[in-house]
Amino acid sequence: MTLKQDEEFMLLALLEAEKAAELSEVPVGAVLVSQDGTILGKGHNQTISTCDPTAHAEIIALRKAGQKIRNYRLISSILYVTVEPCPMCMGALIHARVPRLVYGTKAPKWGAAGTLYDLSSDPRLNHTIDVTGGVLEKRCREIMQSFFKTQRDLCKT
Protein backbone atom coordinates (compact mmCIF):
# COMPACT_ATOMS: atom_id res chain seq x y z
CA MET A 1 0.00 0.00 0.00
CA THR A 2 1.09 3.56 -0.67
CA LEU A 3 1.11 6.36 1.89
CA LYS A 4 -1.99 7.80 0.19
CA GLN A 5 -3.81 4.47 0.59
CA ASP A 6 -2.63 4.24 4.21
CA GLU A 7 -4.07 7.69 4.85
CA GLU A 8 -7.38 6.80 3.17
CA PHE A 9 -7.83 3.74 5.38
CA MET A 10 -6.75 5.69 8.46
CA LEU A 11 -9.52 8.19 7.70
CA LEU A 12 -11.97 5.28 7.89
CA ALA A 13 -10.45 4.28 11.23
CA LEU A 14 -10.92 7.86 12.43
CA LEU A 15 -14.62 7.62 11.51
CA GLU A 16 -14.81 4.54 13.72
CA ALA A 17 -13.05 6.45 16.52
CA GLU A 18 -15.68 9.18 16.23
CA LYS A 19 -18.39 6.54 16.68
CA ALA A 20 -16.71 5.47 19.91
CA ALA A 21 -16.53 9.07 21.15
CA GLU A 22 -20.25 9.53 20.45
CA LEU A 23 -20.86 6.58 22.80
CA SER A 24 -18.55 8.12 25.46
CA GLU A 25 -16.05 5.36 24.77
CA VAL A 26 -12.32 6.02 24.43
CA PRO A 27 -12.13 7.09 20.76
CA VAL A 28 -10.13 4.37 19.08
CA GLY A 29 -11.11 3.05 15.67
CA ALA A 30 -9.76 0.21 13.56
CA VAL A 31 -10.18 -1.07 10.00
CA LEU A 32 -8.79 -4.37 8.73
CA VAL A 33 -8.29 -4.64 4.98
CA SER A 34 -7.04 -7.30 2.61
CA GLN A 35 -3.91 -6.73 0.52
CA ASP A 36 -6.15 -5.66 -2.39
CA GLY A 37 -7.93 -3.06 -0.25
CA THR A 38 -11.16 -4.92 0.51
CA ILE A 39 -12.49 -4.02 3.95
CA LEU A 40 -12.70 -7.19 6.03
CA GLY A 41 -13.76 -5.69 9.36
CA LYS A 42 -14.19 -2.40 11.20
CA GLY A 43 -14.52 -1.63 14.86
CA HIS A 44 -14.45 1.00 17.56
CA ASN A 45 -13.96 0.75 21.28
CA GLN A 46 -17.01 -0.64 23.09
CA THR A 47 -15.60 -1.72 26.45
CA ILE A 48 -17.90 0.50 28.51
CA SER A 49 -21.13 -0.04 26.58
CA THR A 50 -20.67 -3.81 26.43
CA CYS A 51 -19.05 -4.23 29.87
CA ASP A 52 -16.37 -6.21 28.06
CA PRO A 53 -12.70 -5.42 28.72
CA THR A 54 -11.75 -7.15 25.45
CA ALA A 55 -14.03 -5.00 23.27
CA HIS A 56 -11.19 -2.90 21.87
CA ALA A 57 -11.50 -1.58 18.32
CA GLU A 58 -8.79 -3.94 17.04
CA ILE A 59 -10.39 -7.03 18.57
CA ILE A 60 -13.80 -6.16 17.12
CA ALA A 61 -12.30 -5.61 13.65
CA LEU A 62 -10.42 -8.93 13.88
CA ARG A 63 -13.56 -10.79 14.97
CA LYS A 64 -15.62 -9.37 12.12
CA ALA A 65 -12.90 -10.19 9.59
CA GLY A 66 -12.52 -13.75 10.86
CA GLN A 67 -16.26 -14.28 10.56
CA LYS A 68 -16.32 -12.74 7.10
CA ILE A 69 -13.57 -14.94 5.67
CA ARG A 70 -14.42 -17.88 7.96
CA ASN A 71 -10.86 -18.20 9.22
CA TYR A 72 -9.08 -16.88 12.30
CA ARG A 73 -5.84 -16.51 10.39
CA LEU A 74 -5.81 -13.18 8.61
CA ILE A 75 -2.54 -13.72 6.78
CA SER A 76 -3.02 -11.27 3.90
CA SER A 77 -4.33 -8.27 5.79
CA ILE A 78 -3.40 -4.86 7.14
CA LEU A 79 -4.82 -3.38 10.32
CA TYR A 80 -5.28 0.39 10.48
CA VAL A 81 -5.85 1.73 13.97
CA THR A 82 -5.89 5.27 15.30
CA VAL A 83 -3.82 4.49 18.41
CA GLU A 84 -0.92 2.08 18.87
CA PRO A 85 -2.31 -1.25 20.10
CA CYS A 86 -2.02 -2.48 23.68
CA PRO A 87 -0.42 -5.84 24.60
CA MET A 88 -3.77 -7.67 24.38
CA CYS A 89 -4.47 -6.39 20.89
CA MET A 90 -0.91 -7.02 19.70
CA GLY A 91 -1.25 -10.59 21.01
CA ALA A 92 -4.42 -11.01 18.98
CA LEU A 93 -2.73 -9.61 15.87
CA ILE A 94 0.13 -12.05 16.32
CA HIS A 95 -2.23 -15.01 16.81
CA ALA A 96 -4.18 -13.95 13.71
CA ARG A 97 -0.90 -13.69 11.73
CA VAL A 98 -1.67 -10.16 10.55
CA PRO A 99 1.44 -9.17 8.57
CA ARG A 100 1.16 -5.38 8.75
CA LEU A 101 -0.03 -2.81 11.27
CA VAL A 102 -0.50 0.90 10.56
CA TYR A 103 -1.30 3.17 13.49
CA GLY A 104 -1.84 6.88 13.98
CA THR A 105 -0.52 8.00 17.32
CA LYS A 106 1.67 6.37 19.95
CA ALA A 107 0.32 5.10 23.26
CA PRO A 108 3.04 5.94 25.82
CA LYS A 109 1.32 4.07 28.68
CA TRP A 110 0.07 1.03 26.76
CA GLY A 111 1.76 0.85 23.37
CA ALA A 112 2.96 -2.62 22.44
CA ALA A 113 4.15 -1.92 18.88
CA GLY A 114 7.37 -0.20 19.86
CA THR A 115 6.58 2.54 22.35
CA LEU A 116 6.35 0.78 25.73
CA TYR A 117 6.74 -2.81 24.53
CA ASP A 118 7.61 -4.19 21.13
CA LEU A 119 5.67 -7.37 20.59
CA SER A 120 5.66 -6.75 16.84
CA SER A 121 9.27 -7.81 16.38
CA ASP A 122 9.99 -10.02 19.39
CA PRO A 123 12.02 -12.95 18.01
CA ARG A 124 10.72 -15.24 20.77
CA LEU A 125 7.24 -15.15 19.23
CA ASN A 126 6.20 -17.21 16.22
CA HIS A 127 5.13 -14.22 14.09
CA THR A 128 6.39 -10.70 13.52
CA ILE A 129 4.45 -7.73 12.23
CA ASP A 130 5.65 -4.92 9.99
CA VAL A 131 4.69 -1.68 11.76
CA THR A 132 4.15 1.79 10.33
CA GLY A 133 3.36 4.48 12.87
CA GLY A 134 2.47 8.15 12.59
CA VAL A 135 -0.08 7.99 9.77
CA LEU A 136 -2.39 11.00 10.25
CA GLU A 137 -0.79 11.22 13.68
CA LYS A 138 -1.96 14.74 14.50
CA ARG A 139 -5.63 13.97 13.81
CA CYS A 140 -5.46 10.69 15.73
CA ARG A 141 -3.80 12.37 18.70
CA GLU A 142 -6.24 15.31 18.65
CA ILE A 143 -9.36 13.12 18.88
CA MET A 144 -7.88 11.40 21.94
CA GLN A 145 -6.79 14.64 23.61
CA SER A 146 -10.15 16.27 22.94
CA PHE A 147 -12.01 13.31 24.41
CA PHE A 148 -9.97 13.25 27.61
CA LYS A 149 -10.14 17.04 28.00
CA THR A 150 -13.93 16.80 27.78
CA GLN A 151 -13.93 13.99 30.36
CA ARG A 152 -11.79 16.05 32.74
CA ASP A 153 -14.03 19.10 32.24
CA LEU A 154 -17.11 17.00 33.04
CA CYS A 155 -15.49 15.87 36.29
CA LYS A 156 -14.95 19.48 37.33
CA THR A 157 -18.64 20.35 37.15
Side-chain angles (χ1 to χ4, degrees), residues 11-77:
L11 287 171
L12 295 177
L14 279 161
L15 290 175
E16 289 295 315
E18 290 171 7
K19 290 178 186 178
E22 290 169 9
L23 297 170
S24 298
E25 298 273 1
V26 175
V28 178
V31 177
L32 189 78
V33 301
S34 65
Q35 294 289 348
D36 69 2
T38 301
I39 295 174
L40 301 174
K42 296 188 281 187
H44 54 274
N45 274 8
Q46 298 177 45
T47 57
I48 297 166
S49 59
T50 62
C51 299
D52 179 355
T54 69
H56 288 200
E58 302 94 323
I59 301 295
I60 292 166
L62 290 171
R63 286 178 181 157
K64 288 180 178 179
Q67 291 168 355
K68 182 172 186 169
I69 69 166
R70 302 184 52 80
N71 195 333
Y72 75 97
R73 289 201 173 159
L74 305 166
I75 58 173
S76 296
S77 63

Side-chain angles (χ1 to χ4, degrees), residues 58-145:
E58 302 94 323
I59 301 295
I60 292 166
L62 290 171
R63 286 178 181 157
K64 288 180 178 179
Q67 291 168 355
K68 182 172 186 169
I69 69 166
R70 302 184 52 80
N71 195 333
Y72 75 97
R73 289 201 173 159
L74 305 166
I75 58 173
S76 296
S77 63
I78 303 166
L79 181 74
Y80 293 88
V81 62
T82 56
V83 178
E84 180 184 6
C86 72
M88 175 185 70
C89 292
M90 283 303 296
L93 291 169
I94 291 164
H95 282 292
R97 311 297 195 277
V98 172
R100 183 166 183 242
L101 164 69
V102 179
Y103 71 84
T105 190
K106 292 181 179 182
K109 294 183 179 182
W110 284 98
T115 300
L116 184 60
Y117 305 104
D118 192 359
L119 297 179
S120 63
S121 63
D122 191 322
R124 297 169 295 178
L125 300 174
N126 65 337
H127 177 71
T128 58
I129 300 173
D130 179 40
V131 176
T132 301
V135 174
L136 299 182
E137 181 175 13
K138 183 179 178 193
R139 289 183 67 181
C140 293
R141 185 177 56 249
E142 285 173 349
I143 192 171
M144 291 290 284
Q145 289 174 336

Side-chain angles (χ1 to χ4, degrees), residues 3-17:
L3 176 59
K4 183 178 180 191
Q5 290 169 312
D6 285 349
E7 289 176 347
E8 288 172 5
F9 286 117
M10 189 61 72
L11 287 171
L12 295 177
L14 279 161
L15 290 175
E16 289 295 315

